[in-house]
Amino acid sequence: MRKSNLPENAVGMRIDKWLWAARFFKTRSIAKNAIEGGKVHHDGDRVKVSKEVRLGMELTIQQGIEKKTVVIKELSDVRGPAPVAQKLYEETADSIARREAFASQRKLHNLARPDHRPSKKDRRDIHKFKQENDQMFDQSWAYHDD
């Protein structure tokens, strides 16, 4: 990993650069878009791209369907290997427990999947079933003048 360009006495840096260096996002522009889209929070509030992060700050980062709450342990403005990047932060115990519970829920819901793709006949039957149910639903909710 390259040596950081941060001065020895640096107390903060831009959040988009830190998220990129900590490998939460592949590029700084993706990190910027996530921040602008409200996917990154500090103390429950959305942050701006130019927000300065400091050691000990707690961030909530949403990536896809997962949310992580991390505490900043180190600052770096260079992107290095994943093991080095993981030393920049520590995920909170609540966050880990919440993610594991959510993962187990997802696994339970995926057990109901069929073990094969529907055939052409199966697809026709599904389509017919949906059309019949949609028509029944529409008729039951239709507005009638009496």
Side-chain angles (χ1 to χ4, degrees):
M1 183 169 172
R2 286 188 344 210
K3 188 99 168 134
S4 174
N5 294 333
L6 289 173
E8 292 292 322
N9 58 357
V11 291
M13 66 182 296
R14 287 175 59 104
I15 191 168
D16 62 332
K17 200 167 197 177
W18 185 85
L19 288 168
W20 167 77
R23 292 185 162 263
F24 283 102
F25 299 100
K26 194 169 184 171
T27 65
R28 280 184 65 187
S29 63
I30 294 173
K32 176 182 176 272
N33 290 340
I35 293 166
E36 290 172 345
K39 306 291 186 196
V40 181
H41 291 79
H42 169 62
D43 289 337
D45 297 325
R46 289 174 64 165
V47 296
K48 292 186 178 181
V49 178
S50 60
K51 171 84 174 164
E52 191 171 279
V53 294
R54 300 173 189 273
L55 297 178
M57 279 180 69
E58 190 172 288
L59 301 175
T60 303
I61 304 160
Q62 182 174 347
Q63 293 177 292
I65 57 174
E66 286 191 345
K67 270 190 180 179
K68 290 183 182 179
T69 303
V70 298
V71 176
I72 298 174
K73 294 292 182 189
E74 294 181 36
L75 299 178
S76 176
D77 63 346
V78 292
R79 186 177 170 96
V84 175
Q86 289 171 350
K87 293 178 183 175
L88 298 179
Y89 63 91
E90 181 180 331
E91 189 172 3
T92 63
D94 288 342
S95 175
I96 294 170
R98 191 172 51 241
R99 282 191 316 112
E100 287 174 353
F102 187 64
S104 66
Q105 288 291 327
R106 279 196 326 251
K107 285 180 185 176
L108 288 175
H109 290 313
N110 285 340
L111 292 177
R113 286 188 158 177
D115 44 328
H116 68 281
R117 290 178 58 179
S119 66
K120 191 170 184 177
K121 183 184 180 314
D122 293 337
R123 285 195 305 273
R124 278 193 226 114
D125 292 342
I126 291 168
H127 183 68
K128 182 180 175 185
F129 177 77
K130 284 183 176 181
Q131 276 187 328
E132 289 171 358
N133 283 329
D134 286 346
Q135 288 172 356
M136 286 183 357
F137 181 77
D138 291 342
Q139 289 172 359
S140 67
W141 286 97
Y143 178 78
H144 298 286
D145 279 335
D146 290 327

